[in-house]
Amino acid sequence: MKELLENLCDKYLLNLGLFTDLYPLERDILYPVCANVFCASDAEFDLGKFKDSMELIKENPRMLSSFRSTVRPLIASLLSVSDDPRGSMERYLGCYDRLRKYFTNSEHLALMSLLLTRIVPEERAEESISRGRQIYDRMKKEHRILTTKEDVAFAVMLAFSDRTDDELIADMEASYKLLKHSADNNSIQTVSHVLAMSKASPEEKCGKFSELYEAMLKKGRKYGKHYELAMLAALSITDRSSSEIIEDLSDVEAFLSRYKAVGDLSGFGKDVPECHAFMLLTTAYAGGAENGVASSNLALMAARQTALYSMMVYSMMTVAPAIPE
């Protein structure tokens, strides 16, 4: 197992244990997502900072209901690793206000504001959001029933591409048609959105995604077809070979499977332990991208963010909010 991955797994287990022991949540799927925030920032969960961040969310007079529900622990985690929590909160809110000018108010916009502020300068945010609205309308035109408010994040992230809207839509449609028999239509549409962030041909991208997907199925486990596919798509557009990705996934999964705390998190489900490995690998592979401006780096960052977004959306759809005050 690579030293980088082993260190990341150690940090993940540490933060997962600290979080579950010190701040119990009833929504299990939030534990790994929040723990991953600390891992990505090379930080350790600090109960005092986390509680202060939760209070900051509650006391902010501009705070909207979308920020006070399901996504609150995730926001608090991001604030906890910030050098300027109040400043970060203002940036989230500012981005949220811009999003509301173009999209209907929802929890999805709250999540989107968190993701967007991490990869785009504030002065470029509205330009990206405006283009994202145009892309969303085009997506809606192509698939009126399948395209919902959950797809806002994908549309906005695709706005970072230097390809034209026509090229992006054509790419998504080509990937969708190539993969539509692999899973349900809604899941494959999400995969096509993530794949569109790469400039490779649809045939090349779909071939690599299918290769990874088949490798997962050969492990003999039931494999989920919700947020898992978005995360697998994010891995497939990295510059790593399929064999390297499969080897890394196997190593991380084997390492984590030795620890009962990982399997006990019902939010992921015991039948799909690969999800922890998927999330950690997107973090590892995108590790150097946050400091880069190349289109390949932005694509990887966008894919990673939208994959995690997809997982959070899935948690909101499947479990009733139960966040302690």
Side-chain angles (χ1 to χ4, degrees):
M1 185 177 184
K2 297 174 183 174
E3 184 178 358
L4 170 66
L5 296 180
E6 187 169 355
N7 289 338
L8 185 61
C9 287
D10 285 336
K11 293 175 185 176
Y12 179 61
L13 291 169
L14 172 64
N15 282 300
L16 194 60
L18 288 172
F19 205 112
T20 54
D21 289 343
L22 300 177
Y23 201 88
L25 296 173
E26 294 183 31
R27 185 183 287 271
D28 288 352
I29 202 169
L30 291 176
Y31 286 125
V33 178
C34 292
N36 187 61
V37 167
F38 293 97
C39 290
S41 299
D42 195 22
E44 185 176 308
F45 177 77
D46 184 304
L47 181 60
K49 289 182 179 180
F50 186 84
K51 286 186 173 181
D52 288 344
S53 297
M54 292 290 277
E55 287 301 315
L56 179 59
I57 295 170
K58 290 168 61 177
E59 73 184 30
N60 196 299
R62 294 173 55 212
M63 195 60 64
L64 302 174
S65 59
S66 293
F67 283 88
R68 291 199 300 264
S69 55
T70 309
V71 297
R72 186 148 51 95
L74 177 58
I75 301 171
S77 297
L78 289 166
L79 292 174
S80 295
V81 299
S82 171
D83 294 331
D84 179 18
R86 290 188 179 275
S88 295
M89 175 64 71
E90 287 300 313
R91 287 191 290 276
Y92 295 155
L93 288 170
C95 186
Y96 183 77
D97 290 340
R98 293 185 185 93
L99 282 162
R100 287 191 64 199
K101 291 167 60 177
Y102 296 90
F103 298 99
T104 304
N105 182 25
S106 73
E107 273 190 333
H108 300 277
L109 294 195
L111 277 172
M112 190 61 225
S113 69
L114 306 181
L115 307 183
L116 193 58
T117 54
R118 296 175 68 80
I119 64 172
V120 63
E122 189 172 359
E123 62 271 15
R124 287 185 51 202
E126 185 141 3
E127 175 187 350
S128 300
I129 294 168
S130 176
R131 188 188 178 198
R133 177 72 223 197
Q134 296 175 30
I135 295 173
Y136 179 81
D137 289 341
R138 292 286 301 274
M139 290 161 58
K140 190 77 172 176
K141 184 177 180 180
E142 295 292 334
H143 296 282
R144 181 165 297 278
I145 296 177
L146 292 179
T147 305
T148 66
K149 59 186 179 181
E150 299 164 24
D151 296 299
V152 169
F154 301 101
V156 175
M157 289 297 179
L158 284 166
F160 291 105
S161 174
D162 55 11
R163 290 186 291 170
T164 67
D165 293 359
D166 287 341
E167 289 172 331
L168 289 171
I169 295 298
D171 188 295
M172 283 185 275
E173 282 303 295
S175 294
Y176 177 79
K177 289 176 181 178
L178 287 168
L179 295 171
K180 66 179 181 179
H181 299 299
S182 303
D184 65 88
N185 290 342
N186 191 59
S187 296
I188 292 304
Q189 186 188 28
T190 299
V191 168
S192 74
H193 296 164
V194 177
L195 295 180
M197 295 171 194
S198 165
K199 290 184 178 180
S201 70
E203 291 77 13
E204 181 182 347
K205 292 183 292 191
C206 291
K208 186 175 180 181
F209 171 81
S210 297
E211 184 178 0
L212 291 174
Y213 181 55
E214 289 300 319
M216 295 298 102
L217 291 179
K218 287 179 181 178
K219 291 186 175 185
R221 290 197 179 100
K222 179 181 178 182
Y223 184 72
K225 295 182 179 181
H226 298 288
Y227 54 84
E228 303 94 337
L229 291 185
M231 300 184 83
L232 190 61
L235 291 176
S236 74
I237 67 170
T238 67
D239 58 4
R240 270 76 171 179
S241 67
S242 296
S243 59
E244 181 180 2
I245 294 171
I246 292 168
E247 181 181 356
D248 287 344
L249 282 170
S250 298
D251 286 346
V252 173
E253 181 189 350
F255 184 93
L256 295 177
S257 66
R258 305 201 302 262
Y259 298 89
K260 185 175 182 296
V262 176
D264 285 346
L265 290 169
S266 60
F268 276 107
K270 294 182 180 180
D271 292 329
V272 284
E274 295 93 346
C275 293
H276 295 270
F278 289 167
M279 183 172 63
L280 289 175
L281 280 191
T282 57
T283 296
Y285 291 169
E290 293 192 33
N291 299 319
V293 294
S295 59
S296 58
N297 284 346
L298 288 176
L300 180 54
M301 283 300 299
R304 172 179 173 251
Q305 298 290 58
T306 48
L308 294 177
Y309 169 88
S310 179
M311 181 168 62
M312 284 298 299
V313 168
Y314 181 66
S315 77
M316 290 191 297
M317 294 188 299
T318 55
V319 187
I323 309 301
E325 294 295 333

